[in-house]
Amino acid sequence: MSLTHDAALSPSAGRRFRAYTAKHLDELTARAGLSDNERLAIRAVATVLPFRVNSYVIDELIDWSAAPDDPIYRLTFPQADMLPQSDVARMADLLRQGASRSEINRAANEVRARLNPHPAGQMELNVPSSAGADPLEGMQHKYPETVLFFPKQGQTCHAYCTYCFRWAQFVGEPDLKFASGEVDHLVAYLRRHPEVTSVLFTGGDPMIMGEGVLSRYVEPLLEIETLESIRIGTKALAYWPQRFVTDPDADETLRLFERVVASGKNLAFMAHFSHPAEMRSDLVHEAVRRIRDTGAVIRTQAPLIRTINDSAATWAEMWRTHVRSGMVPYYMFVERDTGPQDYFAVPLARAYEIFRDAYAGVSGLARTVRGPSMSATPGKVCVDGVTEVAGEKVFVLHLIQARDPDLVGRPFFAKYDEKAVWLFDLEPALGATHFPYEAAPPEDPSGLVAGSANL
Ligand SMILES: *Cc1c(COP(=O)(O)O)cnc(C)c1O
């Protein structure tokens, strides 16, 4: 790797963005050396779950000699066993019979409905509008200081991750979408809510928007004094670093970032990186350098995913490379309770071990990272460890973020369960009848239970 990352970038550096979708899947899986039957099963999965890659992912990130085991291949390509076998067989039959699009879609929708398309009450958390009638579409205000905003034009990504918890919005079913084109409402909302210090643009990937559209969302926020930071949640550094280097609006985009910084706000670039292989091209290093030159801070985060990044060595290498490039490790997430979760889930006990082993092996500069963290209905729940209290083996947990700020940062306990993969698999420990974020059960109207807070 060159030290300057300036000259001779990757061969696809100057090429225009080109997406590959389900119609290219057969050709691409043939390149991975899969048989006819395996390829049909993968196409069957792709009738249900979204698929999209691009020339950079294909040419620069995937090691085709290692496919289908290559982690970036697994990160982006559907796998035959991601859905129950009966569903795959049914969809494969429809494909084999040359069923109509609407027939395929009807069957696919039935499968999707069983995959918890909207985890953690995502649809219910819309903010009520000032009129008190319709919810403000495309906005989520769950924690007092931060508002999530989903720009209407940012509802796709440069490529899709197979494990994405927002998969439902990419499958082209209008009633599963979640979006907003209403920056005026966002501005009005922020003026009424000075406690909101951070707006997080998310999607999809906001960096799919060109500079012209993105600036129409971002510029009006620069006038809001109470706002301290603007965050952009994006996978573009991993999937299309050209966005910041050689795309026609790359320079204009960086000027926009500079204007945010000049306005006295933090521009926090929340970069989704899933695997160290995403840091191997010269192009991504050049993109990181250019973004950091604007004064923006890049923080990195990803979920822990079985068969893609479920080892401590992988995470330690990833955090090391990030710190080396001046990025700040932020969150390790637990895979959410949606889509093919059974396929990707890492048990909480194992997730904690991976986190701890990786954390123990990196310098303090990388220990800005927190996790493993579950973004669940009550808030972000962090698994701090496994220990024994009064002879009982327990998980120690705390809320990093909570709808009720009073619950933040207070340790609580759950019975140790080697197989638990999500919050709802856990049970209160040490005689407690409920978790701190739950109402006391009716048998105990006084609320004076032996809760973890009393220990
Ligand atoms: C994670 C998250 C945020 C931001 O939380 P931080 O801990 O500040 O990064 C805001 N809203 C929702 C709904 C989230 O899940």
Side-chain angles (χ1 to χ4, degrees):
M1 195 183 295
S2 75
L3 282 177
T4 62
H5 306 298
D6 259 330
L9 291 166
S10 71
S12 64
R15 275 199 250 149
R16 288 197 37 207
F17 179 79
R18 184 188 164 197
Y20 294 83
T21 60
K23 55 180 182 288
H24 309 102
L25 198 49
D26 203 49
E27 196 185 318
L28 292 167
T29 48
R31 189 168 168 189
L34 301 183
S35 72
D36 288 356
N37 271 343
E38 290 169 319
R39 277 153 44 208
L40 179 66
I42 287 168
R43 282 172 54 219
V45 173
T47 61
V48 174
L49 298 172
F51 169 70
R52 177 174 158 107
V53 288
N54 65 58
S55 50
Y56 175 78
V57 174
I58 296 292
D59 298 337
E60 307 284 328
L61 294 189
I62 293 175
D63 174 0
W64 288 95
S65 68
D69 296 327
D70 175 67
I72 306 297
Y73 176 89
R74 299 185 67 81
L75 172 64
T76 50
F77 278 73
Q79 314 292 320
D81 46 358
M82 274 169 54
L83 296 176
Q85 220 202 319
S86 56
D87 290 330
V88 177
R90 177 178 174 205
M91 300 312 301
D93 278 346
L94 290 172
L95 287 174
R96 211 184 281 113
Q97 295 154 15
S100 72
R101 233 187 138 83
S102 63
E103 206 176 336
I104 290 177
N105 228 334
R106 199 165 341 111
N109 278 340
E110 287 174 25
V111 180
R112 287 173 192 142
R114 291 194 294 268
L115 294 173
N116 186 21
H118 292 289
Q122 189 143 307
M123 299 302 266
E124 296 87 67
L125 283 167
N126 286 345
V127 174
S129 75
S130 47
D134 308 337
L136 251 193
E137 217 184 65
M139 229 173 97
Q140 199 184 347
H141 188 186
K142 180 168 168 177
Y143 308 130
E145 71 291 338
T146 306
V147 160
L148 260 56
F149 187 68
F150 302 73
K152 204 174 213 134
Q153 294 89 342
Q155 299 302 301
T156 186
C157 296
H158 292 97
Y160 294 155
C161 303
T162 41
Y163 57 69
C164 182
F165 73 91
R166 297 219 168 103
W167 63 274
Q169 74 193 35
F170 303 133
V171 293
E173 289 305 309
D175 56 336
L176 295 180
K177 278 193 185 165
F178 187 70
S180 171
E182 316 211 296
V183 72
D184 293 348
H185 288 152
L186 173 63
V187 166
Y189 188 83
L190 294 174
R191 293 211 187 279
R192 289 200 306 276
H193 291 272
E195 76 277 14
V196 178
T197 56
S198 191
V199 167
L200 171 51
F201 284 92
T202 181
D205 191 327
M207 293 315 305
I208 204 82
M209 294 188 280
E211 188 276 336
V213 178
L214 185 62
S215 59
R216 269 190 279 138
Y217 282 107
V218 171
E219 294 271 7
L221 304 186
L222 304 188
E223 307 298 317
I224 298 172
E225 266 310 306
T226 45
L227 204 61
E228 295 165 8
S229 60
I230 295 175
R231 308 193 221 182
I232 300 179
T234 177
K235 181 106 190 152
L237 269 175
Y239 280 161
W240 192 253
Q242 287 91 329
R243 179 69 187 79
F244 311 98
V245 184
T246 53
D247 273 6
D249 59 348
D251 290 353
E252 273 309 301
T253 301
L254 298 175
R255 299 295 85 77
L256 172 65
F257 291 179
E258 282 171 359
R259 289 199 295 282
V260 176
V261 174
S263 79
K265 302 189 194 311
N266 186 311
L267 179 65
F269 203 86
M270 311 304 288
H272 178 180
F273 280 112
S274 318
H275 194 274
E278 295 165 330
M279 287 299 294
R280 285 184 196 142
S281 81
D282 287 345
L283 197 57
V284 67
H285 286 268
E286 177 62 3
V288 167
R289 189 188 68 73
R290 299 189 96 211
I291 293 167
R292 293 190 58 234
D293 276 356
T294 69
V297 177
I298 307 175
R299 297 180 185 272
T300 64
Q301 56 188 19
L304 172 63
I305 304 294
R306 194 174 69 84
T307 74
I308 293 176
N309 62 16
D310 54 338
S311 85
T314 302
W315 283 86
E317 185 188 345
M318 194 156 63
W319 295 335
R320 278 209 191 90
T321 347
H322 294 170
V323 168
R324 217 183 243 266
S325 316
M327 299 190 281
V328 185
Y330 191 66
Y331 273 135
M332 175 202 271
F333 291 114
V334 176
E335 173 67 354
R336 280 176 96 141
D337 54 328
T338 176
Q341 196 213 14
D342 294 345
Y343 185 77
F344 290 119
V346 177
L348 298 175
R350 178 74 192 125
Y352 159 68
E353 275 173 18
I354 292 172
F355 180 88
R356 205 210 66 89
D357 289 348
Y359 190 86
V362 295
S363 101
L365 293 181
R367 295 189 196 182
T368 46
V369 70
R370 289 155 309 153
S373 165
M374 286 174 273
S375 282
T377 307
K380 282 194 171 64
V381 180
C382 185
V383 182
D384 292 316
V386 173
T387 192
E388 225 179 81
V389 179
E392 189 176 338
K393 194 171 182 186
V394 294
F395 284 117
V396 185
L397 307 135
H398 85 278
L399 280 151
I400 296 172
Q401 271 289 9
R403 290 207 229 191
D404 173 3
D406 195 45
L407 298 175
V408 171
R410 300 185 193 278
F412 63 98
F413 303 93
K415 285 183 181 147
Y416 178 78
D417 176 352
E418 192 183 53
K419 295 205 182 77
V421 297
W422 193 253
L423 199 57
F424 48 54
D425 297 325
L426 298 179
E427 284 179 46
L430 305 173
T433 56
H434 62 287
F435 289 121
Y437 49 82
E438 293 168 336
E443 308 83 79
D444 181 42
S446 70
L448 293 172
V449 289
S452 53
N454 303 330
L455 284 166

